[in-house]
Amino acid sequence: MIKYLPDRVSIVLEEIPDRVSVAVDITNCPENCPGCHSPFLREDIGEELTFERIDSLISDNFGVNCFLLLGEGRDHQALVRIGKYISEKYPGIAPALYSGRNQVEDDIWQVFDYVKLGPYVEKKGPLNERTTNQRLYHVHSVISAGAGGSAAIRRVKEDITPVIWRRKKD
Ligand code: SF4
């Protein structure tokens, strides 16, 4: 089960470039970043992020074109199911994930169109600082010719972190 904090749902413009995102804070964070900016997200609090809740959040926020999970919780299979559900039911809405880990599994790259990697390191700053250790990837589907003339779909990661830096207001 993946839980989120209903009171903190927001619409954000800068976390994912060129996207209007409905952003949900995911709890049960398994990381332990020194200087964690939101320690309450490590607690087992909030409500389950069901498919019905996702439907409501999308219909209540007409015009969004990204669904951003801020954190990934502790239930990997449920997390992947959420990404798959959004990508299959809402082709115009990109599923996005902010992870606190340095690497994620292949099934996450398959279903999420944007993935942020890396723990928060206070002295290096967040994603929009040039000193950051974190990276944001846009994942594209590329169709190429496979064996015997069949088509094969590959997922290609593009590091778009510098786009965030260029748009930062100093
Ligand atoms: S990923 Fe790190 S900074 Fe974010 S909530 Fe978890 S411990 Fe805190």
Side-chain angles (χ1 to χ4, degrees):
M1 179 193 302
I2 297 294
K3 289 185 178 176
Y4 77 115
L5 296 178
D7 293 347
R8 289 177 57 90
V9 173
S10 59
I11 302 299
V12 297
L13 301 175
E14 296 186 357
E15 276 71 0
I16 303 294
D18 301 323
R19 294 276 179 176
V20 181
S21 305
V22 55
V24 295
D25 278 342
I26 303 301
T27 59
N28 270 315
C29 175
E31 307 305 320
N32 194 16
C33 307
C36 168
H37 51 67
S38 307
F40 56 92
L41 293 179
R42 286 149 54 183
E43 297 173 26
D44 183 12
I45 54 176
E47 297 177 18
E48 183 177 1
L49 184 61
T50 61
F51 293 162
E52 292 74 21
R53 290 290 181 97
I54 292 169
D55 291 341
S56 296
L57 288 166
I58 289 174
S59 64
D60 290 349
N61 293 287
F62 180 78
V64 297
N65 58 11
C66 182
F67 195 101
L68 172 59
L69 280 70
L70 297 170
E72 57 182 328
R74 293 174 186 266
D75 185 341
H76 177 78
Q77 295 305 326
L79 181 75
V80 172
R81 280 197 297 274
I82 286 172
K84 193 165 186 290
Y85 176 77
I86 296 167
S87 67
E88 290 180 353
K89 180 162 183 181
Y90 300 101
I93 296 185
L97 174 68
Y98 267 36
S99 169
R101 296 185 286 157
N102 284 316
Q103 296 286 343
V104 291
E105 297 79 4
D106 189 56
D107 50 7
I108 285 183
W109 294 114
Q110 291 299 321
V111 298
F112 286 94
D113 291 339
Y114 296 88
V115 178
K116 188 277 289 176
L117 292 184
Y120 174 66
V121 178
E122 194 171 16
K123 66 176 187 236
K124 294 188 173 176
L127 189 60
N128 63 2
E129 299 287 347
R130 288 172 188 271
T131 51
T132 190
N133 58 300
Q134 301 180 321
R135 312 302 297 178
L136 178 64
Y137 295 90
H138 185 193
V139 192
H140 306 269
S141 287
V142 174
I143 300 175
S144 54
S150 61
I153 298 176
R154 285 185 302 120
R155 299 282 282 169
V156 177
K157 303 165 201 165
E158 178 190 4
D159 184 346
I160 59 169
T161 319
V163 177
I164 299 253
W165 298 338
R166 284 197 290 272
R167 293 182 182 181
K168 181 170 185 267
K169 297 184 190 74
D170 290 317

